[in-house]
């Protein structure tokens, strides 16, 4: 209002693009001014690190709110999604697509010339990595052109044809014949040709956004091996190694048919499956034996003291009590140290205390499982620990990040604002 502007264009990077799409739904006053949303490397089709259900709920809130607004005939902003392509290590390019009726999805390689540091043009271009897309000159030139167009009262509203007609001159693309899926397929094919199929598959397998898939495959592999071990009554490294060799392929086949992830193939999923089986074997037959020997050494030292006349079982029980009592101050120290390093003023009240207790519970569960698996000779405790210990941090990652923010003043202010909005 102060600038007498008729429209507002929001530019969002990564998950900020999702937040930008939520603004018109949360504020009726702002929705009448927001005409265009430009997103850079934003996962519109699902967040690849959504281990917490609240993330999925936020996505559903945006989708349902937009659909309801369209049904009522309300105006919605035009979304221009620019994907980083295969070079984006955090967001898969297939998840950056938006509904064609709501906007346009393009690859960064289609708006930037492929060139080397010396300025010579090359045939292969893989786009921008997750951070570089926010300062790439060629990408930002397109962003500036769209912003200037909206500021000149050329709002990107109306029918899809009118939107694309206005976007054509700013993106320098043949919008009528542009197919994002086909453009992405050509980029993948070009990547495989230039780097070789094996190297290209290896690089796409190790992308960080596949961590969710790896966690699921680990749970599947560990569950199958644990079930067979419990039924057979044998916990042998030879049997586990057999699973590492023969189990990955059927697990990958089942996973690709159940989840149907757009960025996964049977080759890359098999490699992830092999890695999950190997990690389970290392934890069960490598890490746990080392922990057992270390715990035995600690217990023997405790028993050699003349004043201590407690049995090994008594020391084992007291260790659980000590870990439970120590988890609260350790959790509080970790959370306060984090905010001290970040420069956030901490706060201590009832809400912060509840956050510390939650962190203490998670740390205590993790420590109790680790200690029991190392000290207990029962194979079942080792199997259960190897099954759940690597998955536990991912299962509570969202809640850990949320409760960590509640120990700071800014985090509690944001929490109150979120409670009022939702």
């Amino acid at each position: 209002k102060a600038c007498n502007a008729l429209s507002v264009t929001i530019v969002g990077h990564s998950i900020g693009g999702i937040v930008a799409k939520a603004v018109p739904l949360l504020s009726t006053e702002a929705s009448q001014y927001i005409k265009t949303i430009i997103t850079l490397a934003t996962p519109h089709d699902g967040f690849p690190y959504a281990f917490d259900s609240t993330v999925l709920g936020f996505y559903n809130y945006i989708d349902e709110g937009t659909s309801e607004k369209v049904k009522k005939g309300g105006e919605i902003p035009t979304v221009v999604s620019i994907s980083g392509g295969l070079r984006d290590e955090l967001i898969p390019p297939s998840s950056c697509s938006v509904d064609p009726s709501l906007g346009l999805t393009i690859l960064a390689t289609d708006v930037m010339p492929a060139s080397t540091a010396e300025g010579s043009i090359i045939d292969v271009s893989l786009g921008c990595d997750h951070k570089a897309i926010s300062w790439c000159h060629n990408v930002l030139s397109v962003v500036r052109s769209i912003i200037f167009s909206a500021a000149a009262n050329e709002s990107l509203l109306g029918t899809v044809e009118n939107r694309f007609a206005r976007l054509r001159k700013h993106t320098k693309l043949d919008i009528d014949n542009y197919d994002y899926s086909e453009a992405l397929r050509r980029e993948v094919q070009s990547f495989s040709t230039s780097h070789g199929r094996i190297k290209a598959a290896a690089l796409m397998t190790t992308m960080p956004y596949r961590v969710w898939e790896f966690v699921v495959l680990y749970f599947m592999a560990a569950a199958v091996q644990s079930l067979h071990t419990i039924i057979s009554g044998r916990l042998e490294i030879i049997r586990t190694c057999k699973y590492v060799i023969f189990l990955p392929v059927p697990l990958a086949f089942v996973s690709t048919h159940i989840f149907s992830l757009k960025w996964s193939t049977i080759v890359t999923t098999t490699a992830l499956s092999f890695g999950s089986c190997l990690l389970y074997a290392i934890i069960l037959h490598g890490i746990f034996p080392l922990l057992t020997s270390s715990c035995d050494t600690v217990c023997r030292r405790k028993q050699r003291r003349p004043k201590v006349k407690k049995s090994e079982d008594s020391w084992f029980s007291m260790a659980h009590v000590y870990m439970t009592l120590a988890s609260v101050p350790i959790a509080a120290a970790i959370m306060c140290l984090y905010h001290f390093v970040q420069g956030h003023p901490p706060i201590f009240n009832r809400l912060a205390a509840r956050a510390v207790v939650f962190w203490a519970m998670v740390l205590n569960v993790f420590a109790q499982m680790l200690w029991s698996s190392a000290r207990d000779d029962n194979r079942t405790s080792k199997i259960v620990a190897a099954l759940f210990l690597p998955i536990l941090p991912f299962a509570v990652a969202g809640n850990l990040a949320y409760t960590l923010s509640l120990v700071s003043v800014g985090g509690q202010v944001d929490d109150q604002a979120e409670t009022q909005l939702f």
Side-chain angles (χ1 to χ4, degrees):
K1 292 181 180 180
C3 300
N4 295 322
L6 299 177
S7 65
V8 174
T9 300
I10 301 180
V11 181
H13 174 250
S14 190
I15 202 67
I18 302 299
V19 177
K21 291 171 62 177
V23 173
L25 301 177
L26 297 174
S27 174
T28 305
E29 183 179 3
S31 63
Q32 59 182 325
Y33 294 103
I34 300 175
K35 306 299 183 182
T36 310
I37 297 176
I38 306 173
T39 64
L40 306 175
T42 295
H44 296 279
D45 198 25
F47 193 52
Y49 311 97
F51 295 98
D52 195 281
S53 60
T54 55
V55 178
L56 180 60
F58 188 67
Y59 268 83
N60 292 335
Y61 168 79
I62 295 176
D63 294 338
E64 293 173 0
T66 303
S67 300
E68 184 177 355
K69 204 168 185 178
V70 171
K71 291 179 180 179
K72 293 181 179 180
E75 293 184 345
I76 57 174
T78 299
V79 179
V80 180
S81 176
I82 304 178
S83 168
L86 295 179
R87 191 167 286 173
D88 192 333
E89 73 282 6
L90 296 182
I91 303 298
S94 58
S95 66
C96 296
S97 61
V98 296
D99 190 337
S101 62
L102 304 178
L104 173 68
T105 308
I106 58 178
L107 280 171
T109 53
D110 293 326
V111 296
M112 54 183 289
S115 61
T116 62
E118 293 77 15
S120 59
I121 303 298
I122 58 177
D123 295 331
V124 179
S125 179
L126 302 177
C128 299
D129 61 61
H130 194 65
K131 291 184 177 180
I133 194 174
S134 61
W135 63 68
C136 174
H137 171 74
N138 299 95
V139 174
L140 293 185
S141 64
V142 175
V143 174
R144 285 193 297 266
S145 180
I146 297 175
I147 293 176
F148 291 154
S149 173
N153 199 22
E154 296 180 20
S155 58
L156 300 177
L157 291 177
T159 63
V160 178
E161 292 76 12
N162 292 336
R163 297 178 186 178
F164 286 177
R166 294 189 180 102
L167 284 173
R168 182 183 292 108
K169 62 180 180 180
H170 303 302
T171 58
K172 300 178 182 179
L173 293 175
D174 186 4
I175 301 298
D176 295 332
N177 299 320
Y178 185 79
D179 187 348
Y180 177 73
S181 300
E182 179 63 22
L184 182 58
R185 188 195 65 79
R186 289 196 303 266
E187 186 170 274
V188 172
Q189 185 177 4
S190 177
F191 180 49
S192 300
T193 303
S194 60
H195 290 75
R197 294 187 178 276
I198 297 178
K199 185 178 180 180
L203 291 173
M204 287 188 287
T205 301
T206 56
M207 287 295 182
Y209 55 75
R210 306 199 68 174
V211 63
W212 180 88
E213 189 180 358
F214 182 81
V215 171
V216 172
L217 286 168
Y218 179 88
F219 181 81
M220 294 171 61
V224 172
Q225 296 183 53
S226 301
L227 182 62
H228 182 268
T229 301
I230 293 174
I231 294 175
S232 64
R234 297 179 181 180
L235 184 60
E236 300 176 359
I237 186 173
I238 297 178
R239 289 177 176 268
T240 305
C241 290
K242 290 181 179 179
Y243 278 102
V244 173
I245 297 174
F246 298 107
L247 190 59
V249 175
L251 277 183
F253 181 81
V254 172
S255 177
T256 52
H257 282 75
I258 291 179
F259 298 103
S260 301
L261 300 177
K262 295 181 180 179
W263 58 80
S264 65
T265 62
I266 188 65
V267 176
T268 58
T269 307
T270 301
L272 284 177
S273 181
F274 176 80
S276 65
C277 293
L278 185 61
L279 178 61
Y280 178 78
I282 292 174
I283 292 175
L284 193 60
H285 299 287
I287 297 178
F288 281 169
L290 291 176
L291 289 175
T292 301
S293 60
S294 300
C295 292
D296 288 338
T297 302
V298 173
C299 292
R300 283 196 298 268
R301 289 179 180 177
K302 291 290 183 180
Q303 291 174 358
R304 287 173 184 173
R305 296 180 180 180
K307 295 182 180 181
V308 180
K309 297 182 180 180
K310 298 180 181 179
S311 63
E312 184 177 353
D313 294 336
S314 175
W315 161 249
F316 180 67
S317 301
M318 290 302 298
H320 290 279
V321 177
Y322 294 150
M323 284 186 287
T324 303
L325 296 177
S327 60
V328 176
I330 291 175
I334 293 175
M335 300 172 81
C336 292
L337 180 62
Y338 170 80
H339 290 294
F340 175 78
V341 173
Q342 296 293 326
H344 304 155
I347 187 173
F348 300 98
N349 53 20
R350 183 178 299 179
L351 186 59
R354 290 166 57 186
V356 171
V357 170
F358 176 78
W359 264 68
M361 291 172 57
V362 174
L363 291 177
N364 187 40
V365 170
F366 192 85
Q368 297 280 9
M369 292 181 63
L370 192 62
W371 178 263
S372 299
S373 62
R375 284 294 304 131
D376 195 356
D377 294 332
N378 186 6
R379 71 175 188 279
T380 304
S381 61
K382 290 181 171 56
I383 292 174
V384 172
L387 177 61
F388 289 105
L389 276 178
I391 303 175
L392 180 61
F394 297 100
V396 296
N399 290 325
L400 285 177
Y402 168 67
T403 51
L404 178 62
S405 67
L406 296 180
V407 184
S408 66
V409 176
Q412 294 200 4
V413 172
D414 293 340
D415 180 65
Q416 294 177 358
E418 181 184 2
T419 302
Q420 294 176 357
L421 289 173
F422 294 99

